[in-house]
Amino acid sequence: MDSLFAKADAVKPLAKRRKTSHKASQNGSNSLRNAGKDSANNDYTAQSVTKHTSVPKSLLPTPIESSSGKLPKYSHIANKKLRGELHRQSAHNARAKALVDESADMLLVEDAGKIEVEGEMERTWRVGQDEIVQSAGQEATKGRKELRLDGGPYRTRYTRNGRHLAIAGHHGHVATFDWQTGTLHTELQLQETCRDITFLQDQTFFAVAQKKYVYVYDRDGVELHCLKAHIEPTRLEFLPYHWLLASVGNAGYLKYQDTSTGQLLCEHRTKLGSCTTMTQNLHNAVIHLGHQNGCVTLWTPNLPHPAVQLLAHLGPVSSVSVDPSSGGRYMATAGKDGTVKVWDCRNWKGVVREWSVRGSGSETEVEWSQRGYLGVTSGGSVNVYTPPSISQPFNGHVPPPLYLTHPIPSRPLTSLRFTPFQDVLTIGHNAGISSILVPGTAEPNFDSSEADPFESRKARREREVKSLLDKIQPDLITLDPELIGTLVEPSKLVTSDGKPATDTPYARLPRFDQLRVSGKVDTTEDPGSADEATGGGDGEGIDEEKKQQLREEKDKKRMRGKNKSMKRYLRKQRKNVIDPATVAIRAKLEKMKEEKRKAILAKKGIIEEKKKPSALDRFKRKA
Amino acid sequence: MVRISVLQHAPEQHLPTRPGDPTPQSRNLNPLMHPFARARERKRALNAAKMDRIFAKPFVAALEGHIDAVETMTKRSDSLVNIASGSWGGDIILHNLTTRQITQRVPQAHKGKVSGLCYASADRLLSCGVDRTVKLWSAGDDGSEGSLTQPLNVFPGKAAFNAIDHHRSDGLFATASNIVQVWDETKTSPISNLTFPTSTETITALKFNLAESSILASCGSDRTFTLYDIRTSKAERRVVMQFRATALSWSPTLPTLLLLASEDHNLYTFDVRHLDRPTQIYKAHVSAVTSCEWSPTGMEFVSGGWDRTVRIWQFKDGKGVQRPEVYHTNRMQRVTSTLFSGDARFVLSGSDDGNVRVWKANASEKLGVITARERAAIEYRNKLKERWAVDSEVSRISRSRHMPKTIRSTDKLKHTMLEAKRVKEERRRKHTRAGEAKPKPEKKKIVVAEQT
């Protein structure tokens, strides 16, 4: 037996951990290695095992010396296991973060574009498109384009990877093409008003907001669906991670259509009339609508009313955009009152910055780029502003320093889109489409798992299937996208003695609380709730009850202390029945009490005055 | 002077150089590039949990051949495919797991049931029966089905045998009847009798320790289990418990860890250095547990019970108990013996209906060749499940098991009874003077007495 125990101890101490080994591990890796060596030499079993169980050096976790000081200690947590687990987790997170930081210079190989001026008097906005095109590379110059089209003012939209462009003219000219190679996918003359266009999950499908309904076409321009639930649509948005097509129309209804199942998910009545402005927050899938009365409302599918409603302008809102570079923190709105305002979406207390646009264009469009550059159309030109100054609070109604400007003669400018992963800004206007080069607006390093401009056909198919599998349920759309995976708030349910119900398991709750938790409690018999039901006017009932309680308590106390047996007997006899024996005893007791009182008074020398005879004495019962 | 640089991607960096090459992948780990990362990961975890349940088809095969209930099974220690089983009818069958066919059959090996089987070496099988004999058979794997009639050797005993186990290295074996006897393979009478003084019980199961091979453990009908050392030829310790233990098994990795299957529906692991209480109690069966065996990895063990289920438990070494995996089928009756295969991928169960069933140890494991990509996907899914195990939806899906109505109702009834018992005890304690009746930890209630 002893040899067995010795062997067991050599493999691993099962019941009690010895302090010596613990100390060794604290001292550091060097001493640990020595200790390990010693024990291995002594013990055959361990020696035979270690060779095959040790982790290769390449897989050993790297020590985190640099950030070890920052690791929280969790010394306030009493539970050892929990503390250890938390410590392990935070160490793991720190290690992961260090790895990510390390990988950045390996993965992020491309640099963002920029314009730099040397002289103090030089300004970047003085640089014209010709100069930019001259200094740009062969590939980049492809981005500068002027398309003369006569379909009326144009709306444009890019796919998420920035490769494909869809355009819709107001008079029914719709086209999609790969704008980098210049190959046209389809071109349609729909012969009716087209107000907006959007791609669905990728370039293979697109939806057009036409005169009466929303229509879905495939890449080759074949009409697949007519969504008759969306009547007179004005704007469309597609939420790629939820597979939802949102539309808003002249009737002021916001409708969500699930494009993976084809169901109309929900429709919200905005009650604010015709709506012509819509955008989505890419980071939490909340829809922002701008209304005719100057309101901006934020919508999620699971709330029947706006999650946020704010009065942004003193006239109709003409354009809304959300900053993707800050995780959806800032929102820019433009109104027909000729102002552009920047809002903080976490704190709606007031505008962060506002300025009025020159040229007093009635149709001002705003759009944020991937890296936080803000494009604004003002009258006949497009202005681009650079990030930090846009969202810095500033008192005067002065625009932030201008980065770039480009005049476009054909008004109105109806659409403004920055190309993802390309330094290009595409403007849809009355005479077609023009795209200009704006250095620095696009994210230089794309992620192939999210959006790849150079994606092959097979990769596109695979991504489509994967994203369908990863489709997030629409109920999970909230203002805070990090809600999932956080701890549940503690329940507000309490037991009858005021403790939180979650502290005790259901089986150990008192029966009344069990019934209450399962919703089977009969509230009509609950004295407390009955009082509530009758209202505050019934004060006597409560008094009566209190008295009863007091009496019972008194009785209890009386029972505990010294007491007369006769009193106890009487209390036990207290009934509704009038028993002559009890009455006699009670009278006797009363008499004794009186005599006692008189004796005490006599002792003190007080002579009690006799009561004056009263007229009512004649009704007194004789003893 | 103005310096202008415009972003441009070089297509040759992002496109395959030759047709057929893989497309280069680029990564950007900025969290802003991955919106809804957490929500999508949860969705993937949910899908992983669902797929796990969809592909949970654990039943592999039923090995037929016995005409009566299977009583005992054993595996050859040096082979992954050879299994022997003995039944109440007295016949022994040697199965091949890969071909799922009978390699050898011994009809009427014993009169009455075959109560114990074990391999003496690669090609010799020992069996014991209630006909008071131990027989040694030649069990060579020559690939053809044949039947044996003559044993190599017969060891006569004085009482019906209940169990047999062979020594790990020497030519010794131990049998259990009303006493434990140690035999030499070359001698026809036992070389020593082991019994705890003052014990008059019937021994029902016994096993040699795997690390210290002279240590022997047995359990008996007197609600006891006993530890012997065959070098000193005496019983070292004996423990009396509340209920009878029916089967036992030594851990292959932790030498002092002993697993006991008990008639009170539970399994216990005992560290033999501390016999006053079990290290862990395993509760899930709704009827008496009749058999148990460790996986060769020592990470899990299997148990079969009177409730017609086979359960597979993860051994977490003092870190609590996970819900066991549970297997059942319509036609499987009370499970009398269970076995882990040598590669720890399969579980065998022998039951009263006369079949030996083969199950996967991991219900949703894919059999056959798995490519590297598939392996990576499986590992990713497992990690996701582990990471999101606390999510209510994910855990609900991975916990759900279909159970026969009888087992569910019995489980419910059992819970009600235990709960009532607990409440009663609590009330009793409430009405006794404070500090007089302390609640006793459940682990301390198990052992009645420890004797040396």
Side-chain angles (χ1 to χ4, degrees), chain B residues 178-181 193-203 216 218 220 222 224-229 233-240 275 449-452:
Chain B
N178 53 356
I179 49 169
V180 173
Q181 291 172 316
N193 292 342
L194 304 172
T195 177
F196 195 83
T198 76
S199 115
T200 54
E201 59 181 352
T202 308
I203 313 291
L216 187 62
S218 78
D222 246 359
T224 61
F225 75 89
T226 318
L227 299 170
Y228 311 90
D229 194 333
S233 294
K234 66 177 189 185
E236 298 269 351
R237 313 267 166 86
R238 186 164 91 147
V239 174
V240 184
L275 286 172
E450 189 189 342
Q451 301 163 339
T452 49

Side-chain angles (χ1 to χ4, degrees), chain B residues 29-192:
Chain B
L29 300 179
N30 182 3
L32 288 176
M33 294 290 290
H34 304 270
F36 302 106
R38 221 195 260 172
R40 282 189 285 161
E41 191 179 83
R42 177 183 170 270
K43 178 70 186 181
R44 280 199 285 268
L46 207 60
N47 285 347
K50 283 180 186 169
M51 277 169 78
D52 196 46
R53 292 324 300 155
I54 288 169
F55 293 116
K57 303 262 186 281
F59 182 71
V60 179
L63 310 177
E64 295 171 2
H66 287 293
I67 47 167
D68 209 337
V70 178
E71 169 64 13
T72 177
M73 288 192 302
T74 186
K75 68 181 173 217
R76 217 168 90 181
S77 57
D78 64 336
S79 145
L80 296 179
V81 295
N82 292 60
I83 299 292
S85 63
S87 80
W88 277 71
D91 52 337
I92 298 170
I93 291 179
L94 275 67
H95 304 274
N96 187 321
L97 280 186
T98 43
T99 60
R100 296 173 196 175
Q101 271 166 353
I102 296 168
T103 52
Q104 258 175 0
R105 190 193 284 274
V106 191
Q108 290 306 309
H110 288 275
K111 282 205 186 82
K113 77 166 174 180
V114 178
S115 52
L117 275 177
C118 70
Y119 272 95
S121 62
D123 56 348
R124 287 176 311 147
L125 181 71
L126 274 165
S127 70
C128 69
V130 291
D131 60 349
R132 294 185 256 173
T133 54
V134 174
K135 290 179 180 174
L136 182 69
W137 306 90
S138 145
D141 189 14
D142 51 0
S144 62
E145 188 180 335
S147 55
L148 281 173
T149 48
Q150 285 303 312
L152 295 176
N153 204 351
V154 178
F155 305 88
K158 289 209 172 73
F161 293 112
N162 295 322
I164 187 166
D165 196 23
H166 197 272
H167 192 274
R168 201 170 159 81
S169 50
D170 303 346
L172 300 172
F173 63 90
T175 57
S177 52
N178 53 356
I179 49 169
V180 173
Q181 291 172 316
V182 181
W183 305 68
D184 194 320
E185 277 178 30
T186 55
K187 293 170 185 160
T188 50
S189 57
I191 54 171
S192 64

Side-chain angles (χ1 to χ4, degrees), chain A residues 487-509:
Chain A
L487 287 176
V488 185
E489 272 184 34
S491 163
K492 293 190 175 74
L493 196 71
V494 288
T495 58
S496 51
D497 51 344
K499 286 174 193 160
T502 44
D503 278 5
T504 43
Y506 177 79
R508 305 203 171 186
L509 288 174

Side-chain angles (χ1 to χ4, degrees), chain A residues 3 8-9 12 113-114 116 122 139-140 325 421 423 444-448 450 469-470 482 484 508, chain B residues 1 3 5 7-9 14 26-28 32 34 38 40 43-44 47 209 212 256 273 317 422:
Chain A
S3 57
D9 284 335
K12 193 183 172 192
K114 56 177 179 278
E116 273 179 351
E122 282 179 293
E139 281 293 317
S325 71
F421 310 114
D423 282 343
N445 297 291
F446 55 86
D447 192 311
S448 302
E450 295 285 347
L469 284 172
D470 290 351
E482 295 296 294
I484 279 183
R508 305 203 171 186
Chain B
M1 189 60 208
R3 271 181 299 169
S5 64
L7 170 68
Q8 60 175 354
H9 301 287
H14 299 289
S26 39
R27 290 274 171 271
N28 187 347
L32 288 176
H34 304 270
R38 221 195 260 172
R40 282 189 285 161
K43 178 70 186 181
R44 280 199 285 268
N47 285 347
N209 190 309
E212 189 60 38
T256 55
R273 290 172 289 184
D317 198 7
R422 187 194 58 74

